Amino acid sequence: MESQIDEDLNPAQLDAVTHPSGPLLIVAGAGSGKTRVLTRRIAHLIVDRGVSPFGILAITFTNKAAGEMKERVAELVGDVAHRMWVSTFHSACVRILRRDAERIGYPSRFSIYDQGDSVRLVNHVLRDLGLDAKRFPARGIQAALSSAKNEGLTASQYADRATGPHEARLAEVFALYQERLQGAGAMDFDDLLGNAVRLLREHPDVADRYRQRFEHVLVDEYQDTNFSQYLIIKQLTGAHHNVCVVGDDAQSIYSFRGANIENILNFKKDYPDCVIYKLEQNYRSTQTIVGAANKCAD
């Protein structure tokens, strides 16, 4: 098993895979084998370090990526991988909230509103507040509320920061939208993140439970995390700092969802004892393409 984990790794990849405990930042460009390194590190922790598969939390951004990661881990450690917490941020937050949502005023069987549901609810709120649909288009308002939530703002905080009559009206929409959501026992996608942050922050016993459970937390595409996702990782690793993040500060693609490139740029500040490995060998593109891409990034 050990040789299978270590095979086909170059020296930089092997160092990242076998890094001991503590914060680890893997800077990896496209085609540099970052998924291989992440999955091999998970397998290394289980097979060579004796970490329980259920003591590992691995997070990525899409269901497809999470499924692929789980399959690749299963090839190395067996079927137990299918019962591990290898998921998206939102899926992990749903699991956390299903157990303890009542601690923050929601039913454990809360509904989840997708974007279409959210836009429809915003439409109802705009109508009930008598706001002009041309000045306050529902999709645009929903996007503004989503952006505010991804910055970690509550409705009251947004109202406190509002400047001018337009933002003041938007704050009213925000407040009534949240009131209607909670009244329906529902959360939108952004609430899944924000309410997980709130739960972990307001109930230290819940945060401690997950910190003790997850000895190691690994995050793919860290450059695409927003403020709420950043806070979740900080909450879950506050005791042991066994956090491994993989990302590329030249590749952030989710700025429209509130992704904050500062999260990866400030990793060293957040974890002063972190070790940084750079995966610079590209296995996917020719050197001509890599060189041109690097010039564009510069």
Side-chain angles (χ1 to χ4, degrees), residues 38-57:
L38 201 59
T39 54
R40 298 287 180 87
R41 178 159 179 79
I42 294 170
H44 168 75
L45 290 171
I46 295 169
V47 176
D48 300 328
R49 301 276 298 281
V51 176
S52 167
F54 309 112
I56 295 172
L57 171 63

Side-chain angles (χ1 to χ4, degrees), residues 233-250:
I233 298 303
K234 289 284 285 184
Q235 285 278 4
L236 294 177
T237 62
H240 53 65
H241 286 189
N242 288 331
V243 54
C244 168
V245 303
V246 182
D248 182 356
D249 55 14

Side-chain angles (χ1 to χ4, degrees), residues 51-52 54-57 200 204-217 235-242:
V51 176
S52 167
F54 309 112
I56 295 172
L57 171 63
L200 295 171
D205 61 311
V206 176
D208 287 341
R209 183 196 312 146
Y210 289 102
R211 288 176 191 148
Q212 291 172 19
R213 171 169 184 170
F214 296 123
E215 301 174 52
H216 289 267
V217 176
Q235 285 278 4
L236 294 177
T237 62
H240 53 65
H241 286 189
N242 288 331

Side-chain angles (χ1 to χ4, degrees), residues 251-262:
Q251 285 196 75
S252 181
I253 62 172
Y254 287 125
S255 57
F256 66 95
R257 291 187 192 171
N260 187 351
I261 196 67
E262 296 298 318

Side-chain angles (χ1 to χ4, degrees), residues 13-31:
Q13 293 173 331
L14 183 60
D15 286 343
V17 166
T18 59
H19 175 76
S21 301
L24 170 63
L25 168 61
I26 302 173
V27 180

Side-chain angles (χ1 to χ4, degrees), residues 131-197:
L131 296 177
D132 182 4
K134 292 184 178 179
R135 289 192 60 216
F136 297 90
R139 287 192 177 278
I141 298 302
Q142 189 273 335
L145 299 186
S146 176
S147 178
K149 289 183 180 185
N150 284 328
E151 292 176 17
L153 297 178
T154 63
S156 61
Q157 289 170 333
Y158 186 88
D160 291 340
R161 297 188 184 189
T163 58
H166 184 83
E167 285 193 2
R169 294 299 276 171
L170 192 55
E172 293 180 35
V173 176
F174 195 168
L176 185 54
Y177 172 82
Q178 286 304 116
E179 181 182 319
R180 296 275 176 87
L181 267 180
Q182 188 154 5
M187 303 184 196
D188 63 22
F189 279 172
D190 302 304
D191 287 332
L192 296 176
L193 303 175
N195 283 332
V197 172

Side-chain angles (χ1 to χ4, degrees), residues 40-108:
R40 298 287 180 87
R41 178 159 179 79
I42 294 170
H44 168 75
L45 290 171
I46 295 169
V47 176
D48 300 328
R49 301 276 298 281
V51 176
S52 167
F54 309 112
I56 295 172
L57 171 63
I59 299 179
T60 188
F61 275 82
T62 67
N63 289 324
K64 179 180 178 182
E68 290 175 353
M69 186 185 298
K70 189 171 290 189
E71 288 301 325
R72 292 176 72 165
V73 173
E75 291 174 1
L76 297 166
V77 304
D79 289 341
V80 70
H82 296 292
R83 303 196 305 277
M84 292 173 59
W85 279 49
V86 179
S87 69
T88 64
F89 270 101
H90 291 87
S91 294
C93 288
V94 169
R95 294 182 72 171
I96 291 171
L97 289 165
R98 287 291 182 208
R99 175 165 178 169
D100 292 294
E102 293 175 354
R103 305 279 291 272
I104 55 172
Y106 288 85
S108 60

